[in-house]
Amino acid sequence: RWFRKAIGFALLSCAALWSKQHALFLGMIPFVLVILQRQWPPLASLRLWIPAMIFGAAAALLAALSLPFGSTGVSQLVDDVDVSWFKAVPWHNLLFYVGNLPRSVGWVPVGLLVATLLLWSLRRFRRDPRHDLYIAWAVSSFFLLLILGPYEDRYLFFVYPPLLVIAYSVIESASG
């Protein structure tokens, strides 16, 4: 049963990756989930590694197939990577995305996000295991945006759905 689910996740995430390369974050979600839940045994399990290997092979194949075309679509990091890049690009991208959030989505959603974060920081909302998958999704997709060379507001598209689900859940819990 687990094998079918693992293969299903691998194949669907591979299809997403091949249709939109920013879906590379999908490969990180299971690992971030392990860290969030602090359940380390999956790191030694084939349940985690089989889909990761299939996904990694699909990403490598996509990169190899794009080589004759100048790596178009998969060369989104930078050509010359040195130590200063690791400091400059993530910091620049973080400031860009946080600074442009009100312009991208408007002040009302930003206000709701801030309210959600404030409510969530209260002790009784601190840890809800139902949010783990959505947190892993948001963290993985935003981490990828931080390390990419190019940056644009529209790249936040993959971060919005999990944040909306978490916001709704937290606000609903606070009101009831």
Side-chain angles (χ1 to χ4, degrees):
R1 180 169 166 88
W2 71 264
F3 188 75
R4 213 174 337 158
K5 288 182 180 180
I7 296 299
F9 174 78
L11 294 178
L12 289 173
S13 59
C14 290
L17 175 67
W18 276 58
S19 62
K20 182 67 176 160
Q21 289 73 37
H22 281 87
L24 186 63
F25 76 89
L26 292 170
M28 293 184 266
I29 291 176
F31 296 96
V32 174
L33 201 53
V34 166
I35 293 168
L36 280 174
Q37 295 175 340
R38 293 183 181 99
Q39 293 180 355
W40 310 115
L43 290 174
S45 170
L46 290 177
R47 293 178 184 193
L48 183 70
W49 290 102
I50 288 176
M53 289 186 289
I54 293 170
F55 186 77
L61 181 60
L62 179 62
L65 289 173
S66 72
L67 282 174
F69 306 100
S71 296
T72 302
V74 294
S75 60
Q76 298 257 324
L77 287 169
V78 289
D79 295 331
D80 288 329
V81 177
D82 60 15
V83 176
S84 64
W85 176 86
F86 288 102
K87 294 178 186 173
V89 171
W91 181 248
H92 172 271
N93 288 357
L94 176 66
L95 293 177
F96 173 81
Y97 288 118
V98 171
N100 286 330
L101 195 56
R103 186 176 59 100
S104 298
V105 298
W107 282 104
V108 171
V110 170
L112 287 174
L113 179 63
V114 170
T116 300
L117 291 174
L118 289 173
L119 288 171
W120 204 12
S121 66
L122 297 173
R123 186 160 195 83
R124 65 182 217 183
F125 297 110
R126 178 143 261 156
R127 180 79 166 87
D128 187 345
R130 296 175 303 167
H131 296 153
D132 286 351
L133 177 62
Y134 301 109
I135 294 169
W137 177 354
V139 166
S140 299
S141 56
F142 194 68
F143 175 76
L144 182 65
L145 294 180
L146 291 181
I147 63 171
L148 288 178
Y151 53 92
E152 235 182 277
D153 291 345
R154 65 188 173 99
Y155 294 158
L156 285 171
F157 175 78
F158 291 110
V159 182
Y160 295 149
L163 291 181
L164 289 172
V165 170
I166 293 169
Y168 176 78
S169 176
V170 170
I171 290 170
E172 182 186 44
S173 297
S175 66

